[in-house]
Amino acid sequence: MSTSMQAYRASLLHFTGDPAFDEHATQWHGDGLLLVEDGKVKAAGDYSQLIASVPAGVEVQDYRGKIICPGFVDTHIHYPQTDIIGSPAPGLLPWLDNYTFPAERRFENPEHAAEVADFFLAELLRNGTTSAAVYCTVHPQSVDAFFDASHKRNLRMVAGKCLMDRNAPDFLRDTAESGVRESEELIKRWHNKGRQHYAITVRFAPTSTHEQMKLAGELAAQYPDAYIQTHVAENTDEVKWVKELYPDARSYLDVYDQYGLMRKRALYAHCIWLDDEDRARMAATHSAATICPTSNLFLGSGLFDFPNADKARVPLSLATDVGGGTSFSMLQTMNELYKVGRMGGTYLPAARMFYLATLGGARALQLEGTIGNFAPGCDADFVVLDPKATPILARRSATTDSLEEQLFALAILGDDRAIAATYSAGRLAHQR
């Protein structure tokens, strides 16, 4: 009897909730078995209990000594900034002018966009990231190039064209009408095509006129299952600028709220300079904060406030924010997240950091049950972590005496080398 089942033996880690609020959220099987059928999770549990259900003739892929966890979900990243990662600047706004905008100009060329998209997706997979919320440029062809590359690989990705009709170089501006018209054409072409999803992408409030914001809100109301992604309260200079541009808004976040851009499937990057009213509004609307520790440190933007975000129960997820962020690796991003927490007086256990990088991201995208853990029926997007990937990681792993210690070592000492393999929809997409 032929079967499409695949079986993987390793230690298994996934989450059913946020460990900060549910002491039973961490699911761990020291000797586990992951069963995959037709690109979906069929079962995950103890090897001893599941091995009898594996049909004769199915070879068990042996990853003992390694940890299988759901593929990482990066909820905020810019593919056109791949080539300017690690560029020097005294702050966010000069960094945009000197590096970002000139780099994005090149994406009017579809061949350039396609070449970068291929490299970018390969780099995500090399780092264990199987889903991401991605910014393209103002050019529709940059979106087509990205989705074309992602669709060919059968990856689950969210992406969109930037809306920018002011306060940007002429070569990167659309108009209120053209930007929204092009966005709608892209929604019709790509949203829910295979595993592709469209995000209505307001670059940030300063680069959109009131008219463009209004039309973006109307588009979001017309397509309630599309995503919304933007930046908010990243940098104090930016917050001040928004206040000058939108003097009637109560806060920076309120600008978006006034135009109907806060709801489920809305992703707000950074969220550093918010107040309690802002956080309460995010929680009430199920708008998700995407925390970007490496870029916030690199650009000197500020430290995310975990205690007040958790007090309000804001939906949280983790993001690399390449190219302001300095690494494609979600493990390296956890390393910086931990330090951001410590500098703000918060201790983040490793289990919570892995949650934020997996199920937390899936929940931010409203895709729990589709990606983010090993519940039956989820996409079989997973990563094989090697606790012995480098000499120092191997040495530290040998002396760990708890799951928390082992995960903490991976988060602090791990990087792309710790990714032994990445699977997307049950298919091997990267092998170290």
Side-chain angles (χ1 to χ4, degrees):
M1 181 184 76
S2 71
T3 176
S4 59
M5 187 183 286
Q6 301 146 260
Y8 303 90
R9 186 177 187 180
S11 296
L12 299 185
L13 170 74
H14 69 123
F15 300 90
T16 55
D18 185 339
F21 302 107
D22 177 1
E23 61 180 312
H24 304 297
T26 303
Q27 305 295 303
W28 172 254
H29 304 277
D31 183 11
L33 192 65
L34 177 66
L35 301 181
V36 172
E37 198 162 41
D38 299 324
K40 306 278 187 191
V41 173
K42 185 169 179 65
D46 289 338
Y47 175 84
S48 60
Q49 292 178 345
L50 286 179
I51 188 60
S53 63
V54 177
V58 172
E59 187 183 345
V60 176
Q61 173 78 48
D62 194 341
Y63 281 124
R64 274 179 289 180
K66 297 182 172 65
I67 298 168
I68 289 179
C69 78
F72 297 133
V73 182
D74 184 343
T75 50
H76 180 82
I77 187 168
H78 300 255
Y79 103 87
Q81 294 175 17
T82 300
D83 291 339
I84 60 159
I85 190 172
S87 297
L92 169 66
L93 301 177
W95 180 80
L96 288 171
D97 289 334
N98 295 333
Y99 292 101
T100 307
F101 293 152
E104 292 190 3
R105 182 177 199 169
R106 299 182 66 195
F107 284 75
E108 64 190 345
N109 178 339
E111 287 78 24
H112 176 73
E115 188 275 326
V116 176
D118 274 333
F119 177 89
F120 172 87
L121 290 169
E123 195 67 6
L124 286 183
L125 293 168
R126 209 170 62 76
N127 283 279
T129 298
T130 52
S131 290
V134 181
Y135 284 57
C136 303
T137 65
V138 71
H139 313 100
Q141 55 268 39
S142 75
V143 185
D144 287 327
F146 178 80
F147 276 135
D148 187 57
S150 174
H151 187 58
K152 280 177 182 160
R153 286 174 170 79
N154 192 30
L155 305 176
R156 191 172 291 284
M157 291 284 160
V158 174
K161 166 203 139 56
C162 281
L163 296 168
M164 320 168 55
D165 66 342
R166 68 165 169 177
N167 292 327
D170 290 345
F171 57 77
L172 281 184
R173 281 191 215 170
D174 50 20
T175 68
E177 295 77 16
S178 72
V180 171
R181 183 181 69 248
E182 289 167 348
S183 296
E184 184 169 25
E185 288 166 359
L186 289 161
I187 289 171
K188 288 176 176 172
R189 188 147 67 244
W190 289 110
H191 188 50
N192 295 331
K193 178 178 178 179
R195 301 211 293 160
Q196 313 312 306
H197 306 281
Y198 194 81
I200 297 161
T201 305
V202 176
R203 176 59 171 262
F204 66 154
T207 49
S208 287
T209 59
H210 294 267
E211 180 61 18
Q212 187 166 70
M213 296 286 278
K214 177 174 167 289
L215 292 175
E218 290 172 3
L219 187 66
Q222 196 179 338
Y223 294 95
D225 78 328
Y227 289 88
I228 296 164
Q229 60 180 359
T230 190
H231 302 77
V232 69
E234 176 176 2
N235 168 288
T236 51
D237 291 341
E238 169 210 16
V239 173
K240 198 172 128 196
W241 190 22
V242 171
K243 187 69 186 161
E244 292 163 6
L245 294 170
Y246 294 92
D248 298 334
R250 191 199 70 79
S251 67
Y252 187 167
L253 186 72
D254 187 50
V255 173
Y256 298 114
D257 203 10
Q258 286 183 4
Y259 292 106
L261 293 169
M262 295 188 70
R263 59 161 167 80
K264 287 183 177 179
R265 298 191 165 215
L267 306 169
Y268 282 87
H270 307 296
C271 299
I272 296 172
W273 304 102
L274 301 182
D275 61 21
D276 287 345
E277 201 171 322
D278 290 328
R279 294 185 193 96
R281 188 69 189 136
M282 288 195 73
T285 57
H286 305 281
S287 302
T290 70
I291 309 169
C292 307
T294 75
S295 73
N296 296 157
L297 293 174
F298 180 70
L299 294 169
S301 299
L303 306 174
F304 187 81
D305 184 342
F306 287 96
N308 282 314
D310 282 342
K311 190 167 78 178
R313 298 301 285 267
V314 177
L316 304 181
S317 60
L318 186 59
T320 62
D321 193 23
V322 166
T326 51
S327 176
F328 278 82
S329 168
M330 291 287 270
L331 294 173
Q332 283 285 287
T333 305
M334 290 180 207
N335 177 324
E336 300 296 320
L337 183 77
Y338 176 77
K339 294 168 190 171
V340 165
R342 292 306 298 128
M343 289 301 291
T346 295
Y347 176 80
L348 289 168
R352 191 177 196 202
M353 295 194 287
F354 273 87
Y355 159 80
L356 290 171
T358 56
L359 183 60
R363 286 177 163 182
L365 296 172
Q366 299 290 319
L367 287 175
E368 183 173 6
T370 301
I371 57 171
N373 68 8
F374 294 142
C378 277
D379 294 351
D381 294 350
F382 61 93
V383 60
V384 183
L385 299 170
D386 182 2
K388 299 176 182 170
T390 65
I392 191 64
L393 187 53
R395 193 175 178 92
R396 182 66 189 93
S397 296
T399 61
T400 59
D401 62 5
S402 68
L403 173 61
E404 174 61 24
E405 260 190 48
Q406 177 63 85
L407 295 180
F408 193 80
L410 279 162
I412 301 302
L413 303 174
D415 54 27
D416 56 299
R417 293 168 293 178
I419 309 302
T422 306
Y423 288 77
S424 176
R427 183 185 61 83
L428 180 64
H430 163 75
Q431 189 161 26
R432 190 186 62 204

